[in-house]
Amino acid sequence: MAARQASQAINTQDITDKSRRDLLLLLEAVRGKKNLVIERSLASIIGLFVKFSTLQEYGVDKLFFLENHNVDSSQRNIVFLVRGENAKIVRTVAENTRDLTEAEQIRLVRSESKIDHDFTVIWVPRRTLVSNLILEEHGVLGEANITDLALQFVPLEPDVLSLELEDCFSDLILRRDPTPIFAAARALMLLQKQYGLFPRILGKGDNAKKLADLLQRMRSEEDVNASSDPTNTYLTSFGLTPSATIENLIIIDREVDFPTALATQLTYEGLLDEVFGVSHNQTEVDSSILGGAPAPQPQSQTGGSTAPAAAATKRKVQLDSSDKLYPEIRDANFATIGPLLNRTAKRLQSDQQNIHKADQSLSDLKSFVSKLPSYQAESASLKTHTSLAEEITKLTKSDPFRRTLEIEQNLLIGSEGSTTHEQLEEVLARATPLPTVLRLLCLESTLSNGLRPRDFEHFKRLLLQAYGYQHLATLARLEKMGLFVAREANRGYLNPISGSAGQTATDWNSVRPRLQLWVDEVEEAEPRDVAFVFSGYAPLSVRLVQAVLQKGYLLNLVNPPRAGAAAAAAGPGANGSGWKGFEDVLARIKGATVDVVQKGNDADASQARKTLRGNKEGPKTSIVFFLGGVTFAEIAALRLVGKQLEAAGGGRKLIIGTTGLISGGRAVDVAIEKGVFGA
């Protein structure tokens, strides 16, 4: 019962319903038939919470992407749904691109059509001053009705909330643009308004500190607004008392743990992302890979007839809880996927044999018919995932993959980077794809706080000679991001980073044993530790979460109790006190440490809330928010932590929040120069 209540502590379905309702109300406000012009990156996001058939019920005649003069002027009403914070979508784009801005689309339709059109622009997630200025420059500001859709968190799964900001990693790490921090603060503030203040805000990293400060500033602004409106003062104050269901917010700055993002994920879902790419719970796969596997039926789809012809060779596969089999296998280490699929196949084969029994009664037939849709869906899912697993297996058994993984494991275990340089040079000589090479070099650089200047210049020269001198720009971006840099004198690999530990660099030699970042014996089939997601490496980000929520377990892991000695408490009672017990190791990790306790302004309101809930403590939920992106491997590891917390009693629950999803390929792709000299 407690676990069921915990699952309802934060109902992500309510967030989905609100997003759908807000969008449909905006479309309903535009009377009559309308054409919807949507930014391509938003189409899949909208498809997560509303079907195209539902949009048609609200007057949408046709759907088009915002590109290539791709607007049909057959309808009088034309609605644009685009991101308001992305100036590239609004302003005139460079001559060498084929995309048109929405302002140009309006001018084009106005000049070529004989119909007097009504334009509506819906900015997502908010209307900005920059967007207004750009529309004014193009002379179309007065010709369009402008509104916004406050789309904040998008539930990818019941336990995963994402802002789905595609450029959040490059904004924060490369351009140092704080826009994702503001977007995250608005979304988290909305949760506080609904469920009450986060009683405690914990975090690690400079950007985490900025987000925590911004949340406190927004709370102060809410208090000021409440005091200036006497009609809402009591209700607003009551809403901003400490939450009865949320225990704490843990903010992890991606910049604190680059190695986890750069390493190759070894869970099934992680490898799907590494090989095919997963975006908005979908992946596109060549039809030849799936072979005879039937096309999956996604639950939500915007539809539309504007997809390019090349998409005919691709098939979209929906990857979420609507799949009968996927939730059971997505977080498993890929080494165990074969037995899992084989077990499912045998069970389905047994069910099929029972169907063909000649001595079945009418009640047996009736029972089978009722289960037939579920059986067919699971069979289709099994065929699809078997095909995908076979394709991934081809990669994991290849020599390049094994060599790359061996180098990664040696670096993660703590071997000195110089011992792998011969292997890295061999990888370069074999014309390995540039992203793979960059991931390995960046992994060594981040784990050793930079390469020795001589080695740094050596690998720069090899990269430029092998892949082209246009990648001078690539290397400059990686250096700016702090991913591939030369080691400074005070950041020696064997030096205890005198004075810089915890400020600008992480003392990995000290942190690795103190948080048990490497586990020699990993149980991949029945995992008991989060290290299973990388077959030995425990993500630093997840260990930081365990330092708050599983103190007893982590202390026992780092210092196993002697025979006959009592183990440290591992239950909920050992979870309080924030970072207590790990202050020393936190001081050796890059970035600021956040620990803020929030209390209600009105003691009477807090007492009233306590009285209303009958003095009973309900299930507690912890929100872990990744600022800059989270990997599927980290999600799998945190789900294991969540299961352990629920098993410990009290119905505790873990909700994962993020600005978006990240992988090593996406991280380095941000820096890679796409142009070629002479092209």
Side-chain angles (χ1 to χ4, degrees), residues 403-610:
R403 280 193 294 267
T404 299
L405 189 60
E406 181 184 357
I407 296 172
E408 284 186 6
Q409 299 273 307
N410 287 336
L411 291 172
L412 292 170
I413 205 173
S415 301
E416 187 177 356
S418 59
T419 61
T420 64
H421 285 178
E422 288 187 9
Q423 294 172 292
L424 282 170
E425 290 175 1
E426 181 183 353
V427 168
L428 268 163
R430 291 178 178 271
T432 304
L434 178 61
T436 302
V437 176
L438 291 179
R439 286 175 70 168
L440 292 174
L441 289 171
C442 291
L443 183 62
E444 180 186 344
S445 177
T446 53
L447 285 171
S448 56
N449 297 306
L451 274 67
R452 289 182 299 182
R454 182 181 61 187
D455 294 330
F456 180 70
E457 294 300 327
H458 173 65
F459 280 110
K460 281 180 64 176
R461 184 167 59 253
L462 289 180
L463 284 168
L464 295 175
Q465 292 172 350
Y467 299 99
Y469 283 86
Q470 70 272 18
H471 291 296
L472 277 168
T474 300
L475 296 173
R477 294 185 190 114
L478 289 173
E479 193 167 356
K480 182 179 179 181
M481 296 164 72
L483 291 178
F484 184 55
V485 297
R487 186 183 305 163
E488 297 177 7
N490 65 334
R491 296 191 191 179
Y493 184 79
L494 300 177
N495 188 24
I497 320 180
S498 55
S500 66
Q503 300 174 13
T504 60
T506 297
D507 184 358
W508 289 97
N509 283 339
S510 175
V511 171
R512 188 177 289 108
R514 295 189 186 193
L515 290 179
Q516 201 70 22
L517 296 185
W518 184 266
V519 179
D520 290 323
E521 298 181 3
V522 180
E523 298 181 14
E524 296 173 339
E526 296 291 337
R528 291 187 295 179
D529 187 77
V530 299
F532 82 98
V533 298
F534 288 105
S535 294
Y537 170 68
L540 172 61
S541 56
V542 181
R543 285 293 195 231
L544 290 174
V545 174
Q546 289 181 302
V548 177
L549 302 179
Q550 291 184 309
K551 291 183 184 295
Y553 169 81
L554 190 54
L555 289 171
N556 289 335
L557 191 66
V558 175
N559 298 306
R562 296 178 181 177
N575 296 328
S577 306
W579 297 114
K580 187 176 181 181
F582 294 90
E583 295 91 345
D584 184 50
V585 67
L586 284 170
R588 294 184 171 274
I589 298 175
K590 176 182 179 180
T593 301
V594 179
D595 191 348
V596 178
V597 176
Q598 295 195 109
K599 298 180 179 179
N601 295 332
D602 193 333
D604 294 335
S606 299
Q607 183 61 37
R609 177 185 288 273
K610 186 176 181 180

Side-chain angles (χ1 to χ4, degrees), residues 65 148 351 576 610 647 654 667:
F65 291 132
D148 56 31
D351 293 342
K610 186 176 181 180
L654 207 60

Side-chain angles (χ1 to χ4, degrees), residues 34-35 37 60 108 122 124 138 202 213 301 317 332 335 348 374 423 457 483 489 518 531 535 597 606 640 678:
K34 62 206 68 113
N35 287 340
V37 183
V60 175
L108 180 67
I122 302 176
V124 180
H138 286 77
L202 302 158
D213 291 343
Q301 191 172 350
V317 179
L348 292 176
S374 176
Q423 294 172 292
E457 294 300 327
L483 291 178
W518 184 266
S535 294
V597 176
S606 299
L640 177 62

Side-chain angles (χ1 to χ4, degrees), residues 38 87 150 152 162 224 302 491 579:
I38 187 170
Q152 308 289 352
S162 175
V224 172
T302 54
R491 296 191 191 179
W579 297 114

Side-chain angles (χ1 to χ4, degrees), residues 78-327:
I78 298 179
V79 180
F80 292 89
L81 185 63
V82 292
R83 295 184 186 273
E85 294 181 334
N86 191 340
K88 292 185 295 184
I89 300 299
V90 192
R91 71 163 57 99
T92 305
V93 294
E95 294 180 359
N96 63 340
T97 66
R98 300 174 59 192
D99 295 341
L100 280 178
T101 65
E102 144 271 349
E104 291 172 326
Q105 295 274 21
I106 292 177
R107 288 196 306 174
L108 180 67
V109 173
R110 179 72 74 193
S111 62
E112 294 183 355
S113 176
K114 298 180 180 179
I115 303 176
D116 186 17
H117 292 283
D118 285 337
F119 297 100
T120 301
V121 179
I122 302 176
W123 298 119
V124 180
R126 64 190 179 103
R127 180 177 181 176
T128 63
L129 178 61
V130 172
S131 61
N132 285 347
L133 290 174
I134 294 174
L135 289 180
E136 186 175 6
E137 288 175 2
H138 286 77
V140 296
L141 181 61
E143 299 185 15
N145 300 314
I146 301 176
T147 184
D148 56 31
L149 173 65
L151 186 62
Q152 308 289 352
F153 279 128
V154 177
L156 299 180
E157 290 291 342
D159 60 344
V160 180
L161 299 173
S162 175
L163 294 174
E164 292 297 271
L165 302 177
E166 290 190 337
D167 298 327
C168 67
F169 185 81
S170 57
D171 285 342
L172 288 171
I173 309 302
L174 177 60
R175 290 184 284 273
R176 304 295 173 181
D177 181 353
T179 300
I181 300 177
F182 179 73
R186 290 189 67 197
L188 291 169
M189 197 65 198
L190 196 61
L191 286 181
Q192 289 196 106
K193 289 180 180 179
Q194 186 173 359
Y195 296 100
L197 292 172
F198 305 132
R200 196 161 195 165
I201 301 177
L202 302 158
K204 185 61 183 174
D206 293 336
N207 286 329
K209 180 70 164 59
K210 293 176 183 178
L211 177 55
D213 291 343
L214 189 53
L215 283 171
Q216 291 179 283
R217 176 182 173 182
M218 287 183 170
R219 180 197 171 183
S220 300
E221 292 173 352
E222 287 290 333
D223 292 340
V224 172
N225 293 336
S227 62
S228 63
D229 186 355
T231 60
N232 289 329
T233 299
Y234 175 74
L235 292 177
T236 305
S237 298
F238 188 85
L240 289 182
T241 54
S243 174
T245 57
I246 299 176
E247 184 177 23
N248 47 41
L249 168 69
I250 304 172
I251 307 170
I252 304 295
D253 181 0
R254 182 76 277 166
E255 203 165 356
V256 167
D257 186 16
F258 279 141
T260 296
L262 293 168
T264 301
Q265 306 170 73
L266 296 180
T267 61
Y268 177 56
E269 189 170 34
L271 278 170
L272 281 174
D273 190 31
E274 298 278 359
V275 177
F276 303 110
V278 177
S279 179
H280 316 310
N281 287 354
Q282 287 185 339
T283 185
E284 286 193 356
V285 184
D286 287 337
S287 300
S288 59
I289 293 175
L290 296 178
Q297 300 296 324
Q299 295 295 309
S300 301
Q301 191 172 350
T302 54
S305 56
T306 59
T313 63
K314 296 278 188 178
R315 182 183 296 179
K316 285 190 175 182
V317 179
Q318 195 75 13
L319 301 172
D320 56 23
S321 298
S322 64
D323 190 303
K324 295 293 294 183
L325 181 61
Y326 189 62

